[in-house]
PDB file of all heavy atoms in Angstrom:
ATOM      1  N   LEU R  10      12.497 -20.222  -4.323  1.00 97.00           N
ATOM      2  CA  LEU R  10      12.030 -18.956  -3.767  1.00 97.00           C
ATOM      3  C   LEU R  10      10.629 -19.161  -3.213  1.00 97.00           C
ATOM      4  O   LEU R  10       9.835 -19.909  -3.784  1.00 97.00           O
ATOM      5  CB  LEU R  10      11.972 -17.887  -4.866  1.00 97.00           C
ATOM      6  CG  LEU R  10      13.255 -17.159  -5.248  1.00 97.00           C
ATOM      7  CD1 LEU R  10      12.948 -16.213  -6.403  1.00 97.00           C
ATOM      8  CD2 LEU R  10      13.829 -16.381  -4.079  1.00 97.00           C
ATOM      9  N   GLU R  13       5.601 -16.009  -2.734  1.00 94.00           N
ATOM     10  CA  GLU R  13       5.271 -14.583  -2.797  1.00 94.00           C
ATOM     11  C   GLU R  13       6.414 -13.730  -3.319  1.00 94.00           C
ATOM     12  O   GLU R  13       6.261 -12.529  -3.553  1.00 94.00           O
ATOM     13  CB  GLU R  13       4.817 -14.078  -1.418  1.00 94.00           C
ATOM     14  CG  GLU R  13       5.891 -14.082  -0.338  1.00 94.00           C
ATOM     15  CD  GLU R  13       5.950 -15.391   0.455  1.00 94.00           C
ATOM     16  OE1 GLU R  13       5.535 -16.440  -0.093  1.00 94.00           O
ATOM     17  OE2 GLU R  13       6.418 -15.354   1.610  1.00 94.00           O
ATOM     18  N   ILE R  14       7.598 -14.333  -3.501  1.00 95.00           N
ATOM     19  CA  ILE R  14       8.752 -13.558  -3.953  1.00 95.00           C
ATOM     20  C   ILE R  14       8.804 -13.547  -5.480  1.00 95.00           C
ATOM     21  O   ILE R  14       8.772 -14.597  -6.124  1.00 95.00           O
ATOM     22  CB  ILE R  14      10.077 -14.151  -3.416  1.00 95.00           C
ATOM     23  CG1 ILE R  14      10.031 -14.267  -1.891  1.00 95.00           C
ATOM     24  CG2 ILE R  14      11.264 -13.344  -3.904  1.00 95.00           C
ATOM     25  CD1 ILE R  14      10.434 -13.059  -1.124  1.00 95.00           C
ATOM     26  N   LEU R  15       8.880 -12.342  -6.046  1.00 95.00           N
ATOM     27  CA  LEU R  15       8.980 -12.174  -7.491  1.00 95.00           C
ATOM     28  C   LEU R  15      10.214 -12.899  -8.036  1.00 95.00           C
ATOM     29  O   LEU R  15      11.294 -12.802  -7.464  1.00 95.00           O
ATOM     30  CB  LEU R  15       9.075 -10.674  -7.815  1.00 95.00           C
ATOM     31  CG  LEU R  15       9.262 -10.267  -9.279  1.00 95.00           C
ATOM     32  CD1 LEU R  15       7.962 -10.486 -10.035  1.00 95.00           C
ATOM     33  CD2 LEU R  15       9.707  -8.818  -9.376  1.00 95.00           C
ATOM     34  N   ASP R  16      10.053 -13.632  -9.126  1.00 96.00           N
ATOM     35  CA  ASP R  16      11.162 -14.365  -9.746  1.00 96.00           C
ATOM     36  C   ASP R  16      11.322 -13.906 -11.193  1.00 96.00           C
ATOM     37  O   ASP R  16      10.806 -14.547 -12.120  1.00 96.00           O
ATOM     38  CB  ASP R  16      10.886 -15.872  -9.671  1.00 96.00           C
ATOM     39  CG  ASP R  16      11.958 -16.686 -10.402  1.00 96.00           C
ATOM     40  OD1 ASP R  16      13.049 -16.136 -10.664  1.00 96.00           O
ATOM     41  OD2 ASP R  16      11.688 -17.860 -10.704  1.00 96.00           O
ATOM     42  N   PRO R  17      12.034 -12.806 -11.406  1.00 95.00           N
ATOM     43  CA  PRO R  17      12.141 -12.267 -12.770  1.00 95.00           C
ATOM     44  C   PRO R  17      12.863 -13.212 -13.735  1.00 95.00           C
ATOM     45  O   PRO R  17      12.590 -13.196 -14.943  1.00 95.00           O
ATOM     46  CB  PRO R  17      12.901 -10.946 -12.594  1.00 95.00           C
ATOM     47  CG  PRO R  17      13.524 -10.994 -11.252  1.00 95.00           C
ATOM     48  CD  PRO R  17      12.719 -11.941 -10.419  1.00 95.00           C
ATOM     49  N   GLN R  18      13.774 -14.054 -13.203  1.00 94.00           N
ATOM     50  CA  GLN R  18      14.453 -15.009 -14.102  1.00 94.00           C
ATOM     51  C   GLN R  18      13.462 -16.040 -14.616  1.00 94.00           C
ATOM     52  O   GLN R  18      13.459 -16.370 -15.810  1.00 94.00           O
ATOM     53  CB  GLN R  18      15.603 -15.693 -13.354  1.00 94.00           C
ATOM     54  CG  GLN R  18      16.731 -14.736 -12.994  1.00 94.00           C
ATOM     55  CD  GLN R  18      17.898 -15.447 -12.322  1.00 94.00           C
ATOM     56  OE1 GLN R  18      18.887 -15.761 -12.957  1.00 94.00           O
ATOM     57  NE2 GLN R  18      17.766 -15.705 -11.030  1.00 94.00           N
ATOM     58  N   GLN R  20      10.304 -15.580 -14.921  1.00 96.00           N
ATOM     59  CA  GLN R  20       9.413 -14.872 -15.848  1.00 96.00           C
ATOM     60  C   GLN R  20      10.048 -14.730 -17.235  1.00 96.00           C
ATOM     61  O   GLN R  20       9.366 -14.864 -18.258  1.00 96.00           O
ATOM     62  CB  GLN R  20       9.075 -13.479 -15.297  1.00 96.00           C
ATOM     63  CG  GLN R  20       8.139 -13.514 -14.082  1.00 96.00           C
ATOM     64  CD  GLN R  20       7.856 -12.129 -13.536  1.00 96.00           C
ATOM     65  OE1 GLN R  20       8.606 -11.184 -13.794  1.00 96.00           O
ATOM     66  NE2 GLN R  20       6.768 -12.003 -12.780  1.00 96.00           N
ATOM     67  N   ALA R  21      11.357 -14.448 -17.257  1.00 95.00           N
ATOM     68  CA  ALA R  21      12.046 -14.302 -18.549  1.00 95.00           C
ATOM     69  C   ALA R  21      12.012 -15.620 -19.319  1.00 95.00           C
ATOM     70  O   ALA R  21      11.828 -15.639 -20.542  1.00 95.00           O
ATOM     71  CB  ALA R  21      13.492 -13.845 -18.314  1.00 95.00           C
ATOM     72  N   ARG R  24       8.501 -16.176 -20.684  1.00 96.00           N
ATOM     73  CA  ARG R  24       8.195 -15.332 -21.854  1.00 96.00           C
ATOM     74  C   ARG R  24       8.820 -15.886 -23.123  1.00 96.00           C
ATOM     75  O   ARG R  24       8.335 -15.665 -24.223  1.00 96.00           O
ATOM     76  CB  ARG R  24       8.702 -13.902 -21.614  1.00 96.00           C
ATOM     77  CG  ARG R  24       7.782 -13.047 -20.751  1.00 96.00           C
ATOM     78  CD  ARG R  24       8.126 -11.562 -20.886  1.00 96.00           C
ATOM     79  NE  ARG R  24       9.505 -11.265 -20.491  1.00 96.00           N
ATOM     80  CZ  ARG R  24       9.869 -11.013 -19.230  1.00 96.00           C
ATOM     81  NH1 ARG R  24       8.983 -11.023 -18.253  1.00 96.00           N
ATOM     82  NH2 ARG R  24      11.129 -10.736 -18.944  1.00 96.00           N
ATOM     83  N   LYS R  41      17.087 -23.983  -7.232  1.00 97.00           N
ATOM     84  CA  LYS R  41      18.434 -24.557  -7.235  1.00 97.00           C
ATOM     85  C   LYS R  41      18.355 -25.982  -6.702  1.00 97.00           C
ATOM     86  O   LYS R  41      17.580 -26.270  -5.785  1.00 97.00           O
ATOM     87  CB  LYS R  41      19.367 -23.768  -6.304  1.00 97.00           C
ATOM     88  CG  LYS R  41      19.611 -22.341  -6.716  1.00 97.00           C
ATOM     89  CD  LYS R  41      20.488 -21.648  -5.674  1.00 97.00           C
ATOM     90  CE  LYS R  41      20.566 -20.151  -5.941  1.00 97.00           C
ATOM     91  NZ  LYS R  41      20.677 -19.371  -4.718  1.00 97.00           N
ATOM     92  N   PHE R  43      20.879 -29.004  -5.130  1.00 98.00           N
ATOM     93  CA  PHE R  43      22.197 -29.374  -4.628  1.00 98.00           C
ATOM     94  C   PHE R  43      22.219 -30.883  -4.407  1.00 98.00           C
ATOM     95  O   PHE R  43      21.241 -31.441  -3.917  1.00 98.00           O
ATOM     96  CB  PHE R  43      22.481 -28.678  -3.284  1.00 98.00           C
ATOM     97  CG  PHE R  43      22.434 -27.174  -3.353  1.00 98.00           C
ATOM     98  CD1 PHE R  43      21.231 -26.497  -3.196  1.00 98.00           C
ATOM     99  CD2 PHE R  43      23.585 -26.437  -3.585  1.00 98.00           C
ATOM    100  CE1 PHE R  43      21.177 -25.113  -3.254  1.00 98.00           C
ATOM    101  CE2 PHE R  43      23.535 -25.057  -3.646  1.00 98.00           C
ATOM    102  CZ  PHE R  43      22.331 -24.387  -3.483  1.00 98.00           C
ATOM    103  N   GLY R  64      19.403 -25.162   5.915  1.00 97.00           N
ATOM    104  CA  GLY R  64      18.762 -24.021   6.558  1.00 97.00           C
ATOM    105  C   GLY R  64      19.701 -22.888   6.890  1.00 97.00           C
ATOM    106  O   GLY R  64      19.263 -21.752   7.100  1.00 97.00           O
ATOM    107  N   THR R  65      21.014 -23.175   6.975  1.00 96.00           N
ATOM    108  CA  THR R  65      21.959 -22.112   7.316  1.00 96.00           C
ATOM    109  C   THR R  65      22.736 -21.604   6.118  1.00 96.00           C
ATOM    110  O   THR R  65      23.080 -20.430   6.064  1.00 96.00           O
ATOM    111  CB  THR R  65      22.984 -22.578   8.369  1.00 96.00           C
ATOM    112  OG1 THR R  65      23.573 -23.802   7.942  1.00 96.00           O
ATOM    113  CG2 THR R  65      22.335 -22.783   9.712  1.00 96.00           C
ATOM    114  N   LEU R  66      23.018 -22.483   5.140  1.00 97.00           N
ATOM    115  CA  LEU R  66      23.867 -22.040   4.032  1.00 97.00           C
ATOM    116  C   LEU R  66      23.185 -22.167   2.670  1.00 97.00           C
ATOM    117  O   LEU R  66      23.096 -21.185   1.930  1.00 97.00           O
ATOM    118  CB  LEU R  66      25.187 -22.832   4.027  1.00 97.00           C
ATOM    119  CG  LEU R  66      26.180 -22.440   2.922  1.00 97.00           C
ATOM    120  CD1 LEU R  66      26.605 -20.983   3.068  1.00 97.00           C
ATOM    121  CD2 LEU R  66      27.403 -23.338   2.941  1.00 97.00           C
ATOM    122  N   LEU R  67      22.681 -23.371   2.347  1.00 98.00           N
ATOM    123  CA  LEU R  67      22.171 -23.585   0.983  1.00 98.00           C
ATOM    124  C   LEU R  67      20.950 -22.721   0.688  1.00 98.00           C
ATOM    125  O   LEU R  67      20.783 -22.235  -0.433  1.00 98.00           O
ATOM    126  CB  LEU R  67      21.829 -25.069   0.779  1.00 98.00           C
ATOM    127  CG  LEU R  67      22.975 -26.056   1.021  1.00 98.00           C
ATOM    128  CD1 LEU R  67      22.519 -27.472   0.700  1.00 98.00           C
ATOM    129  CD2 LEU R  67      24.194 -25.682   0.189  1.00 98.00           C
ATOM    130  N   ALA R  68      20.091 -22.527   1.690  1.00 98.00           N
ATOM    131  CA  ALA R  68      18.900 -21.706   1.501  1.00 98.00           C
ATOM    132  C   ALA R  68      18.909 -20.563   2.499  1.00 98.00           C
ATOM    133  O   ALA R  68      19.462 -20.692   3.589  1.00 98.00           O
ATOM    134  CB  ALA R  68      17.640 -22.549   1.700  1.00 98.00           C
ATOM    135  N   ASN R  69      18.331 -19.438   2.117  1.00 97.00           N
ATOM    136  CA  ASN R  69      18.091 -18.336   3.045  1.00 97.00           C
ATOM    137  C   ASN R  69      16.605 -18.391   3.417  1.00 97.00           C
ATOM    138  O   ASN R  69      15.763 -18.041   2.595  1.00 97.00           O
ATOM    139  CB  ASN R  69      18.440 -17.005   2.391  1.00 97.00           C
ATOM    140  CG  ASN R  69      18.124 -15.826   3.300  1.00 97.00           C
ATOM    141  OD1 ASN R  69      17.539 -15.989   4.366  1.00 97.00           O
ATOM    142  ND2 ASN R  69      18.525 -14.636   2.877  1.00 97.00           N
ATOM    143  N   PRO R  70      16.300 -18.840   4.635  1.00 96.00           N
ATOM    144  CA  PRO R  70      14.892 -19.050   5.007  1.00 96.00           C
ATOM    145  C   PRO R  70      14.038 -17.777   4.946  1.00 96.00           C
ATOM    146  O   PRO R  70      12.820 -17.865   4.975  1.00 96.00           O
ATOM    147  CB  PRO R  70      14.978 -19.565   6.452  1.00 96.00           C
ATOM    148  CG  PRO R  70      16.386 -20.017   6.633  1.00 96.00           C
ATOM    149  CD  PRO R  70      17.223 -19.192   5.711  1.00 96.00           C
ATOM    150  N   VAL R  71      14.688 -16.621   4.863  1.00 96.00           N
ATOM    151  CA  VAL R  71      13.926 -15.380   4.740  1.00 96.00           C
ATOM    152  C   VAL R  71      13.187 -15.329   3.400  1.00 96.00           C
ATOM    153  O   VAL R  71      12.090 -14.805   3.295  1.00 96.00           O
ATOM    154  CB  VAL R  71      14.872 -14.160   4.881  1.00 96.00           C
ATOM    155  CG1 VAL R  71      14.141 -12.854   4.602  1.00 96.00           C
ATOM    156  CG2 VAL R  71      15.479 -14.120   6.274  1.00 96.00           C
ATOM    157  N   ILE R  72      13.801 -15.899   2.368  1.00 97.00           N
ATOM    158  CA  ILE R  72      13.235 -15.785   1.022  1.00 97.00           C
ATOM    159  C   ILE R  72      12.995 -17.132   0.349  1.00 97.00           C
ATOM    160  O   ILE R  72      12.332 -17.189  -0.687  1.00 97.00           O
ATOM    161  CB  ILE R  72      14.177 -14.964   0.098  1.00 97.00           C
ATOM    162  CG1 ILE R  72      15.615 -15.445   0.250  1.00 97.00           C
ATOM    163  CG2 ILE R  72      14.030 -13.480   0.367  1.00 97.00           C
ATOM    164  CD1 ILE R  72      16.568 -14.911  -0.795  1.00 97.00           C
ATOM    165  N   GLU R  73      13.540 -18.201   0.931  1.00 97.00           N
ATOM    166  CA  GLU R  73      13.515 -19.486   0.227  1.00 97.00           C
ATOM    167  C   GLU R  73      12.994 -20.606   1.130  1.00 97.00           C
ATOM    168  O   GLU R  73      13.084 -20.538   2.355  1.00 97.00           O
ATOM    169  CB  GLU R  73      14.930 -19.855  -0.253  1.00 97.00           C
ATOM    170  CG  GLU R  73      15.469 -18.926  -1.323  1.00 97.00           C
ATOM    171  CD  GLU R  73      16.960 -19.080  -1.561  1.00 97.00           C
ATOM    172  OE1 GLU R  73      17.712 -19.332  -0.597  1.00 97.00           O
ATOM    173  OE2 GLU R  73      17.385 -18.916  -2.716  1.00 97.00           O
TER     174      GLU R  73
ATOM    175  N   LEU D  59      26.527 -18.795  -4.589  1.00 94.00           N
ATOM    176  CA  LEU D  59      25.330 -19.263  -3.872  1.00 94.00           C
ATOM    177  C   LEU D  59      24.290 -18.159  -3.802  1.00 94.00           C
ATOM    178  O   LEU D  59      23.257 -18.245  -4.442  1.00 94.00           O
ATOM    179  CB  LEU D  59      25.694 -19.790  -2.481  1.00 94.00           C
ATOM    180  CG  LEU D  59      24.603 -20.509  -1.700  1.00 94.00           C
ATOM    181  CD1 LEU D  59      24.053 -21.690  -2.454  1.00 94.00           C
ATOM    182  CD2 LEU D  59      25.131 -20.920  -0.328  1.00 94.00           C
ATOM    183  N   ARG D  60      24.548 -17.124  -3.009  1.00 94.00           N
ATOM    184  CA  ARG D  60      23.727 -15.906  -2.956  1.00 94.00           C
ATOM    185  C   ARG D  60      24.675 -14.804  -2.517  1.00 94.00           C
ATOM    186  O   ARG D  60      25.637 -15.068  -1.784  1.00 94.00           O
ATOM    187  CB  ARG D  60      22.607 -15.992  -1.890  1.00 94.00           C
ATOM    188  CG  ARG D  60      21.500 -16.985  -2.134  1.00 94.00           C
ATOM    189  CD  ARG D  60      20.498 -16.959  -0.961  1.00 94.00           C
ATOM    190  NE  ARG D  60      21.145 -17.121   0.317  1.00 94.00           N
ATOM    191  CZ  ARG D  60      21.508 -18.297   0.850  1.00 94.00           C
ATOM    192  NH1 ARG D  60      21.245 -19.412   0.202  1.00 94.00           N
ATOM    193  NH2 ARG D  60      22.115 -18.352   2.015  1.00 94.00           N
ATOM    194  N   ALA D  63      26.147 -14.726   1.109  1.00 94.00           N
ATOM    195  CA  ALA D  63      25.821 -15.975   1.815  1.00 94.00           C
ATOM    196  C   ALA D  63      27.051 -16.625   2.442  1.00 94.00           C
ATOM    197  O   ALA D  63      26.967 -17.209   3.525  1.00 94.00           O
ATOM    198  CB  ALA D  63      25.136 -16.959   0.876  1.00 94.00           C
ATOM    199  N   ILE D  64      28.183 -16.544   1.766  1.00 95.00           N
ATOM    200  CA  ILE D  64      29.382 -17.202   2.278  1.00 95.00           C
ATOM    201  C   ILE D  64      30.171 -16.250   3.178  1.00 95.00           C
ATOM    202  O   ILE D  64      30.719 -16.653   4.200  1.00 95.00           O
ATOM    203  CB  ILE D  64      30.227 -17.741   1.106  1.00 95.00           C
ATOM    204  CG1 ILE D  64      29.407 -18.815   0.362  1.00 95.00           C
ATOM    205  CG2 ILE D  64      31.549 -18.323   1.594  1.00 95.00           C
ATOM    206  CD1 ILE D  64      30.086 -19.412  -0.849  1.00 95.00           C
ATOM    207  N   ARG D  66      29.068 -14.267   5.205  1.00 95.00           N
ATOM    208  CA  ARG D  66      28.446 -14.281   6.526  1.00 95.00           C
ATOM    209  C   ARG D  66      29.195 -15.195   7.491  1.00 95.00           C
ATOM    210  O   ARG D  66      29.190 -14.991   8.693  1.00 95.00           O
ATOM    211  CB  ARG D  66      26.994 -14.757   6.366  1.00 95.00           C
ATOM    212  CG  ARG D  66      26.294 -14.999   7.658  1.00 95.00           C
ATOM    213  CD  ARG D  66      25.114 -15.919   7.480  1.00 95.00           C
ATOM    214  NE  ARG D  66      24.627 -16.338   8.787  1.00 95.00           N
ATOM    215  CZ  ARG D  66      23.674 -17.225   8.978  1.00 95.00           C
ATOM    216  NH1 ARG D  66      23.092 -17.771   7.931  1.00 95.00           N
ATOM    217  NH2 ARG D  66      23.306 -17.572  10.179  1.00 95.00           N
ATOM    218  N   PHE D  67      29.829 -16.235   6.959  1.00 95.00           N
ATOM    219  CA  PHE D  67      30.515 -17.208   7.801  1.00 95.00           C
ATOM    220  C   PHE D  67      32.018 -16.951   7.882  1.00 95.00           C
ATOM    221  O   PHE D  67      32.768 -17.798   8.356  1.00 95.00           O
ATOM    222  CB  PHE D  67      30.230 -18.628   7.305  1.00 95.00           C
ATOM    223  CG  PHE D  67      28.772 -18.999   7.442  1.00 95.00           C
ATOM    224  CD1 PHE D  67      27.929 -18.995   6.347  1.00 95.00           C
ATOM    225  CD2 PHE D  67      28.249 -19.314   8.686  1.00 95.00           C
ATOM    226  CE1 PHE D  67      26.584 -19.323   6.487  1.00 95.00           C
ATOM    227  CE2 PHE D  67      26.908 -19.642   8.831  1.00 95.00           C
ATOM    228  CZ  PHE D  67      26.071 -19.640   7.735  1.00 95.00           C
ATOM    229  N   CYS D  95      22.241  -8.571   5.822  1.00 98.00           N
ATOM    230  CA  CYS D  95      20.956  -9.277   5.775  1.00 98.00           C
ATOM    231  C   CYS D  95      21.166 -10.781   5.942  1.00 98.00           C
ATOM    232  O   CYS D  95      20.449 -11.433   6.697  1.00 98.00           O
ATOM    233  CB  CYS D  95      20.231  -8.992   4.459  1.00 98.00           C
ATOM    234  SG  CYS D  95      19.499  -7.341   4.379  1.00 98.00           S
ATOM    235  N   GLU D  96      22.152 -11.329   5.245  1.00 97.00           N
ATOM    236  CA  GLU D  96      22.423 -12.769   5.382  1.00 97.00           C
ATOM    237  C   GLU D  96      22.820 -13.114   6.817  1.00 97.00           C
ATOM    238  O   GLU D  96      22.553 -14.211   7.289  1.00 97.00           O
ATOM    239  CB  GLU D  96      23.531 -13.200   4.402  1.00 97.00           C
ATOM    240  CG  GLU D  96      23.071 -13.331   2.950  1.00 97.00           C
ATOM    241  CD  GLU D  96      22.315 -14.634   2.670  1.00 97.00           C
ATOM    242  OE1 GLU D  96      22.413 -15.564   3.481  1.00 97.00           O
ATOM    243  OE2 GLU D  96      21.613 -14.705   1.635  1.00 97.00           O
ATOM    244  N   HIS D  98      21.590 -11.746   9.389  1.00 97.00           N
ATOM    245  CA  HIS D  98      20.423 -11.457  10.217  1.00 97.00           C
ATOM    246  C   HIS D  98      20.659 -10.292  11.171  1.00 97.00           C
ATOM    247  O   HIS D  98      19.987 -10.180  12.195  1.00 97.00           O
ATOM    248  CB  HIS D  98      19.956 -12.704  10.990  1.00 97.00           C
ATOM    249  CG  HIS D  98      19.723 -13.894  10.100  1.00 97.00           C
ATOM    250  ND1 HIS D  98      18.849 -13.852   9.024  1.00 97.00           N
ATOM    251  CD2 HIS D  98      20.260 -15.128  10.100  1.00 97.00           C
ATOM    252  CE1 HIS D  98      18.868 -15.032   8.424  1.00 97.00           C
ATOM    253  NE2 HIS D  98      19.717 -15.821   9.046  1.00 97.00           N
ATOM    254  N   GLY D 102      15.104  -9.064   6.230  1.00 98.00           N
ATOM    255  CA  GLY D 102      14.875  -9.079   4.786  1.00 98.00           C
ATOM    256  C   GLY D 102      16.060  -9.635   4.017  1.00 98.00           C
ATOM    257  O   GLY D 102      16.953 -10.258   4.593  1.00 98.00           O
ATOM    258  N   ALA D 103      16.034  -9.427   2.701  1.00 98.00           N
ATOM    259  CA  ALA D 103      17.081  -9.959   1.834  1.00 98.00           C
ATOM    260  C   ALA D 103      17.158  -9.115   0.572  1.00 98.00           C
ATOM    261  O   ALA D 103      16.252  -8.329   0.277  1.00 98.00           O
ATOM    262  CB  ALA D 103      16.785 -11.418   1.478  1.00 98.00           C
ATOM    263  N   LEU D 105      17.698  -9.408  -3.555  1.00 97.00           N
ATOM    264  CA  LEU D 105      17.580 -10.369  -4.650  1.00 97.00           C
ATOM    265  C   LEU D 105      17.978  -9.711  -5.963  1.00 97.00           C
ATOM    266  O   LEU D 105      18.099  -8.482  -6.046  1.00 97.00           O
ATOM    267  CB  LEU D 105      16.135 -10.868  -4.723  1.00 97.00           C
ATOM    268  CG  LEU D 105      15.752 -11.852  -3.619  1.00 97.00           C
ATOM    269  CD1 LEU D 105      14.269 -12.131  -3.642  1.00 97.00           C
ATOM    270  CD2 LEU D 105      16.523 -13.148  -3.781  1.00 97.00           C
ATOM    271  N   PRO D 106      18.170 -10.523  -7.022  1.00 95.00           N
ATOM    272  CA  PRO D 106      18.518  -9.937  -8.324  1.00 95.00           C
ATOM    273  C   PRO D 106      17.521  -8.851  -8.737  1.00 95.00           C
ATOM    274  O   PRO D 106      16.317  -8.980  -8.498  1.00 95.00           O
ATOM    275  CB  PRO D 106      18.454 -11.137  -9.274  1.00 95.00           C
ATOM    276  CG  PRO D 106      18.796 -12.311  -8.405  1.00 95.00           C
ATOM    277  CD  PRO D 106      18.197 -11.993  -7.049  1.00 95.00           C
ATOM    278  N   ASN D 107      18.043  -7.788  -9.346  1.00 97.00           N
ATOM    279  CA  ASN D 107      17.205  -6.670  -9.776  1.00 97.00           C
ATOM    280  C   ASN D 107      16.019  -7.174 -10.589  1.00 97.00           C
ATOM    281  O   ASN D 107      16.145  -8.096 -11.398  1.00 97.00           O
ATOM    282  CB  ASN D 107      18.018  -5.710 -10.650  1.00 97.00           C
ATOM    283  CG  ASN D 107      19.138  -5.036  -9.871  1.00 97.00           C
ATOM    284  OD1 ASN D 107      19.148  -5.063  -8.641  1.00 97.00           O
ATOM    285  ND2 ASN D 107      20.067  -4.421 -10.590  1.00 97.00           N
ATOM    286  N   ALA D 108      14.873  -6.529 -10.389  1.00 95.00           N
ATOM    287  CA  ALA D 108      13.662  -6.951 -11.091  1.00 95.00           C
ATOM    288  C   ALA D 108      13.858  -6.907 -12.604  1.00 95.00           C
ATOM    289  O   ALA D 108      13.316  -7.731 -13.334  1.00 95.00           O
ATOM    290  CB  ALA D 108      12.490  -6.076 -10.677  1.00 95.00           C
ATOM    291  N   GLY D 109      14.655  -5.934 -13.088  1.00 94.00           N
ATOM    292  CA  GLY D 109      14.901  -5.803 -14.527  1.00 94.00           C
ATOM    293  C   GLY D 109      15.991  -6.729 -15.036  1.00 94.00           C
ATOM    294  O   GLY D 109      16.285  -6.741 -16.238  1.00 94.00           O
ATOM    295  N   LEU D 110      16.607  -7.484 -14.143  1.00 92.00           N
ATOM    296  CA  LEU D 110      17.651  -8.474 -14.457  1.00 92.00           C
ATOM    297  C   LEU D 110      18.935  -7.861 -14.996  1.00 92.00           C
ATOM    298  O   LEU D 110      19.855  -8.588 -15.382  1.00 92.00           O
ATOM    299  CB  LEU D 110      17.130  -9.533 -15.455  1.00 92.00           C
ATOM    300  CG  LEU D 110      16.000 -10.415 -14.928  1.00 92.00           C
ATOM    301  CD1 LEU D 110      15.480 -11.324 -16.031  1.00 92.00           C
ATOM    302  CD2 LEU D 110      16.481 -11.267 -13.747  1.00 92.00           C
ATOM    303  N   ARG D 148      17.474  -5.683  -5.112  1.00 97.00           N
ATOM    304  CA  ARG D 148      16.018  -5.648  -4.874  1.00 97.00           C
ATOM    305  C   ARG D 148      15.717  -6.075  -3.438  1.00 97.00           C
ATOM    306  O   ARG D 148      15.793  -7.250  -3.100  1.00 97.00           O
ATOM    307  CB  ARG D 148      15.293  -6.579  -5.863  1.00 97.00           C
ATOM    308  CG  ARG D 148      13.818  -6.756  -5.586  1.00 97.00           C
ATOM    309  CD  ARG D 148      13.090  -7.464  -6.712  1.00 97.00           C
ATOM    310  NE  ARG D 148      13.782  -8.637  -7.186  1.00 97.00           N
ATOM    311  CZ  ARG D 148      13.315  -9.882  -7.091  1.00 97.00           C
ATOM    312  NH1 ARG D 148      12.148 -10.116  -6.518  1.00 97.00           N
ATOM    313  NH2 ARG D 148      14.000 -10.898  -7.570  1.00 97.00           N
ATOM    314  N   VAL D 150      13.688  -7.158  -0.387  1.00 97.00           N
ATOM    315  CA  VAL D 150      12.421  -7.824  -0.099  1.00 97.00           C
ATOM    316  C   VAL D 150      12.363  -8.198   1.381  1.00 97.00           C
ATOM    317  O   VAL D 150      13.388  -8.442   2.011  1.00 97.00           O
ATOM    318  CB  VAL D 150      12.214  -9.111  -0.943  1.00 97.00           C
ATOM    319  CG1 VAL D 150      12.218  -8.813  -2.423  1.00 97.00           C
ATOM    320  CG2 VAL D 150      13.280 -10.160  -0.623  1.00 97.00           C
ATOM    321  N   ALA D 151      11.164  -8.192   1.913  1.00 97.00           N
ATOM    322  CA  ALA D 151      10.909  -8.665   3.272  1.00 97.00           C
ATOM    323  C   ALA D 151       9.429  -9.017   3.315  1.00 97.00           C
ATOM    324  O   ALA D 151       8.658  -8.558   2.462  1.00 97.00           O
ATOM    325  CB  ALA D 151      11.238  -7.594   4.301  1.00 97.00           C
ATOM    326  N   ASP D 152       9.054  -9.837   4.301  1.00 95.00           N
ATOM    327  CA  ASP D 152       7.632 -10.189   4.363  1.00 95.00           C
ATOM    328  C   ASP D 152       6.824  -8.970   4.820  1.00 95.00           C
ATOM    329  O   ASP D 152       7.381  -7.983   5.300  1.00 95.00           O
ATOM    330  CB  ASP D 152       7.405 -11.410   5.254  1.00 95.00           C
ATOM    331  CG  ASP D 152       7.871 -11.191   6.677  1.00 95.00           C
ATOM    332  OD1 ASP D 152       7.560 -10.134   7.247  1.00 95.00           O
ATOM    333  OD2 ASP D 152       8.565 -12.074   7.221  1.00 95.00           O
TER     334      ASP D 152
END
Side-chain angles (χ1 to χ4, degrees):
Chain R
L10 278 177
E13 66 270 25
I14 305 274
L15 177 73
D16 175 18
Q18 293 183 99
Q20 289 178 340
R24 280 196 301 274
K41 296 177 189 147
F43 301 87
T65 51
L66 181 61
L67 303 183
N69 177 354
V71 174
I72 47 168
E73 293 166 324
Chain D
L59 189 57
R60 293 179 308 278
I64 297 178
R66 172 201 169 186
F67 295 103
C95 285
E96 284 281 343
H98 307 304
L105 286 172
N107 295 345
L110 295 175
R148 172 169 46 116
V150 300
D152 60 46

